[in-house]
Amino acid sequence: MPQIPEKIHELTVGQLAARSGAAVSALHFYESKGLIRSRRTSGNQRRFSRDALRRVAFVRAAQRVGIPLATIREALAELPEGRTPTEEDWARLSASWRSELDERIKQLNRLRDHLTDCIGCGCLSLDTCVLSNPDDVFGERGVGSRLLVERTRRAATTPPARRAAPGREPDADAGCCDRPTG
């Protein structure tokens, strides 16, 4: 890993990329989103203060656990400008994300536990599909593959401009088994 001498207080984008492990394009993106800041030299080159190294590490760690960039930006905005985020800063900010992560983990566990049921149902017994039809709310509309039948009818009467493009998610009420894979 390239070492940057202590006497260097500002880093070029290339130095920041080499030291942080983030691509230059990622650093430009982080800057455009307000996650890190640079100043411009008289030659219009970016210069980052050394605290950008820790901020980039902070952003990448938060991204790895699924925290949205907007939430990361809000967290970094709480820190004084020009100060390197500390271990205490990370502990305080990450503690506030714990409940969001716990809820996401519960959702993923539920998906994992019921994925076989969804694939096995083939949308022919929606009363057992806990993903697309919890508590059989669509059972009141009749038997069989109600969501797929209704979606087919709706598509036949919906103008082409209003239909979902290939590869895009269908309507929010579409069943789990009639979504495009890909």
Side-chain angles (χ1 to χ4, degrees):
M1 181 178 309
Q3 296 296 314
I4 298 169
E6 286 293 321
K7 64 182 180 177
I8 296 178
H9 298 287
E10 290 186 317
L11 310 172
T12 66
V13 70
Q15 289 171 320
L16 182 57
R19 183 67 173 89
S20 68
V24 169
S25 59
L27 297 174
H28 290 170
F29 178 74
Y30 292 164
E31 185 178 17
S32 74
K33 296 299 181 187
L35 300 167
I36 58 175
R37 290 194 174 101
S38 70
R39 73 168 187 87
R40 297 295 181 130
T41 67
S42 59
N44 201 29
Q45 296 175 330
R46 288 178 170 90
R47 292 294 185 264
F48 295 90
S49 61
R50 288 183 71 90
D51 69 293
L53 278 169
R54 183 70 58 90
R55 288 176 183 264
V56 170
F58 182 94
V59 169
R60 295 183 77 195
Q63 281 186 296
R64 276 194 296 277
V65 296
I67 304 299
L69 287 179
T71 304
I72 298 169
R73 182 179 49 247
E74 290 169 9
L76 287 171
E78 294 178 19
L79 302 177
E81 188 61 36
R83 181 173 71 85
T84 301
T86 64
E87 187 176 331
E88 292 79 24
D89 292 328
W90 174 254
R92 180 177 45 82
L93 294 170
S94 64
S96 68
W97 298 332
R98 183 173 291 281
S99 63
E100 180 183 334
L101 291 173
D102 287 343
E103 181 58 33
R104 197 171 308 147
I105 289 168
K106 281 177 23 183
Q107 290 173 351
L108 287 170
N109 282 333
R110 191 170 38 251
L111 175 63
R112 180 203 61 214
D113 294 345
H114 296 290
L115 188 58
T116 302
D117 295 339
C118 181
I119 292 170
C121 82
C123 285
L124 296 177
S125 57
L126 283 174
D127 58 324
T128 64
C129 189
V130 296
L131 296 176
S132 67
N133 188 22
D135 301 320
D136 195 22
V137 294
F138 291 108
E140 297 171 10
R141 297 185 188 175
V143 298
S145 182
R146 302 305 304 166
L147 295 177
L148 188 56
V149 169
E150 289 173 13
R151 185 162 187 268
T152 303
R153 279 190 205 133
R154 192 170 46 238
T157 59
T158 303
R162 300 242 350 197
R163 293 183 197 150
R168 289 188 55 203
E169 282 290 311
D171 296 318
D173 64 338
C176 67
C177 298
D178 61 346
R179 289 189 178 136
T181 59

